[in-house]
Amino acid sequence: MRFYGYFRSSSAYRCRIAFNLKDVDYDFVSVHLRKDGGQQKRPDYRAKNPQALVPALEDGDLTLTQSLAIIEWLDESFPEKARFLPEDKDTRAKVRAFAQAIACDTHPLQNLRVLDYLKAEFGADQAALDRWCGRWIGDGLAACEALLEKEPASTFCFGETPGLADICLIPQVFSAERFGVDLSAMPRLVAIAEAANALPAFANAHPRNQPDAE
């Protein structure tokens, strides 16, 4: 199994957590998003992921893109440990909705290609880009906090073991800290992040602990 990623990519970070929770080994290939004009744009990588994004996963003849698809594939391929989605269909839908609030609506607005476009087309400087990221990360996480206020108190997002929601949350909290987003109004998210990051599966997936970290 070969996994293509980048240490600071939130999408790749999610997958690393999932691999760790499942205790599944893989061969890592770094795709540096800034070196050489962006290694994700090379023809050989585009053949694997036509979006020129990370991550990508190869397993035999199978090639997968999109972190949520990879994570659910891992969950179904290795069902004996650390299930990411609950059995109850209503809770399962809530978990997916929470995960998608981050992966589909919050994270893409801070994606490198979006920031590069803001710089190239609108002349945004780094301060403006930081404000942009802070605004949308803050809004997204505030919505996630509100979603969890409707749920029973628990160590993780939807229970006492981490799952898909936590896998998506922790990289986004990392990004929030990176861009100086104030999380003081989100105590439940902060507590969940502290509990998750105390686990080796999450701690070992942190960007600073990756072989391609700078």
Side-chain angles (χ1 to χ4, degrees):
M1 191 180 301
R2 185 175 292 116
F3 178 68
Y4 298 82
Y6 176 61
F7 78 104
R8 199 179 284 137
S9 161
S10 293
S11 300
Y13 190 173
R14 293 174 204 139
C15 293
R16 293 194 300 265
I17 295 169
F19 277 117
N20 291 346
L21 286 169
K22 290 289 188 181
D23 196 22
V24 172
D25 292 329
Y26 57 91
D27 294 322
F28 172 66
V29 180
S30 176
V31 180
H32 201 291
L33 302 187
R34 293 191 177 274
K35 287 182 179 177
D36 308 319
Q39 294 174 353
Q40 73 277 16
K41 300 173 186 176
R42 291 177 173 176
D44 60 336
Y45 184 72
R46 279 186 181 270
K48 306 177 194 303
N49 189 333
Q51 288 185 285
L53 299 171
V54 293
L57 175 70
E58 290 179 331
D59 185 46
D61 294 332
L62 174 69
T63 300
L64 289 175
T65 63
Q66 290 293 333
S67 62
L68 295 187
I70 291 170
I71 291 164
E72 289 210 31
W73 178 84
L74 284 169
D75 201 28
E76 294 174 7
S77 298
F78 303 93
E80 64 278 1
K81 187 174 182 181
R83 295 311 302 264
F84 299 151
L85 289 165
E87 292 295 329
D88 176 70
K89 69 178 179 63
D90 293 347
T91 309
R92 189 163 64 245
K94 289 181 181 181
V95 168
R96 285 192 170 118
F98 184 98
Q100 290 169 22
I102 293 173
C104 301
D105 293 329
T106 304
H107 167 244
L109 289 168
Q110 72 195 59
N111 192 285
L112 180 60
R113 62 180 179 170
V114 172
L115 302 185
D116 284 346
Y117 187 83
L118 291 173
K119 284 194 292 186
E121 296 296 324
F122 301 105
D125 61 12
Q126 190 59 51
L129 296 178
D130 289 350
R131 290 196 302 272
W132 170 274
C133 290
R135 162 65 190 276
W136 299 117
I137 294 171
D139 281 5
L141 289 179
C144 288
E145 178 81 10
L147 287 171
L148 293 186
E149 287 173 356
K150 302 175 182 179
E151 300 301 317
S154 56
T155 303
F156 298 101
C157 290
F158 291 88
E160 295 306 313
T161 56
L164 178 63
D166 310 279
I167 289 169
C168 289
L169 174 64
I170 299 315
Q172 195 58 70
V173 170
F174 165 77
S175 292
E177 293 168 347
R178 181 179 165 212
F179 288 103
V181 176
D182 182 6
L183 300 179
S184 60
M186 307 170 202
R188 187 154 180 181
L189 297 188
V190 170
I192 291 167
E194 289 177 354
N197 284 323
L199 300 177
F202 287 84
N204 294 338
H206 193 282
R208 66 171 172 261
N209 295 324
Q210 305 317 304
D212 58 337
E214 298 171 344

